[in-house]
Amino acid sequence: MLVKSCLCTSLREAALALTEMYDRAIAPSGLKITMFRLLRRLQNAGPSTISEFAAIVNLDRSTLGRNLKVLERDGFVTLNSGKDERSKVIHLTKKAEDAIKIATPYWEKTQKQIQEILDEETERRLNQLTEFNKLAKDQSK
């Protein structure tokens, strides 16, 4: 009997392998790809409240909060009081800006290497996966 592989398992394993590749590549910056992703998005968005930024990076507030604690502890972001006592505004630090600058060429090189491996059809299908994010968000409402 032919056993079909689980798409979820296959995609998760591929995501883990890619994460390891990016982590190794940007290691000289002191960042992991998960950190780089958040810092770069914050750099593009500018200072944001936790709720605003959670929507930007497609994470729930509690997951983002855990990630921000690590980034704050490591000196990459500061969390300042917002307009209201309950809100916090996230700011990049100079250390984060420097780390992003170091990591970016390594990230670009890795990105190019991966894109060279993928054919056009695979890239198109990977871009389609972003639709799953929207679907999952809609279903969770």
Side-chain angles (χ1 to χ4, degrees), residues 101-137:
K101 189 179 284 189
I102 293 167
T104 298
Y106 294 109
W107 177 86
E108 289 171 343
K109 180 179 178 188
T110 304
Q111 186 80 354
K112 186 176 181 202
Q113 289 171 337
I114 292 167
Q115 286 173 326
E116 287 172 359
I117 294 169
L118 302 176
D119 60 19
E120 246 179 69
E121 178 65 15
T122 304
E123 259 194 277
R124 187 182 69 74
R125 291 197 185 276
L126 288 172
N127 288 331
Q128 287 176 323
L129 292 176
T130 60
E131 295 302 313
F132 287 113
N133 290 332
K134 294 175 191 170
L135 180 64
K137 281 278 191 205

Side-chain angles (χ1 to χ4, degrees), residues 46-102:
S48 307
T49 66
I50 294 174
S51 294
E52 291 167 342
F53 195 56
I56 290 168
V57 296
N58 199 26
L59 290 173
D60 62 76
R61 276 186 105 257
S62 61
T63 302
L64 178 60
R66 287 189 299 275
N67 284 290
L68 290 173
K69 283 182 184 179
V70 172
L71 292 171
E72 184 180 36
R73 179 199 69 206
D74 293 349
F76 294 113
V77 299
T78 59
L79 299 172
N80 302 317
S81 294
K83 291 179 184 174
D84 125 7
E85 296 268 334
R86 295 171 293 161
S87 69
K88 297 282 186 192
V89 178
I90 315 159
H91 295 270
L92 284 181
T93 64
K94 171 92 167 81
K95 181 178 180 181
E97 296 281 354
D98 292 345
I100 292 168
K101 189 179 284 189
I102 293 167

Side-chain angles (χ1 to χ4, degrees), residues 14-31:
L16 288 170
L18 285 170
T19 297
E20 288 176 22
M21 287 176 66
Y22 281 104
D23 281 348
R24 280 193 305 273
I26 67 170
S29 69
L31 297 174

Side-chain angles (χ1 to χ4, degrees), residues 7-22:
L7 292 174
C8 183
T9 299
S10 296
L11 289 170
R12 290 176 66 88
E13 288 173 353
L16 288 170
L18 285 170
T19 297
E20 288 176 22
M21 287 176 66
Y22 281 104

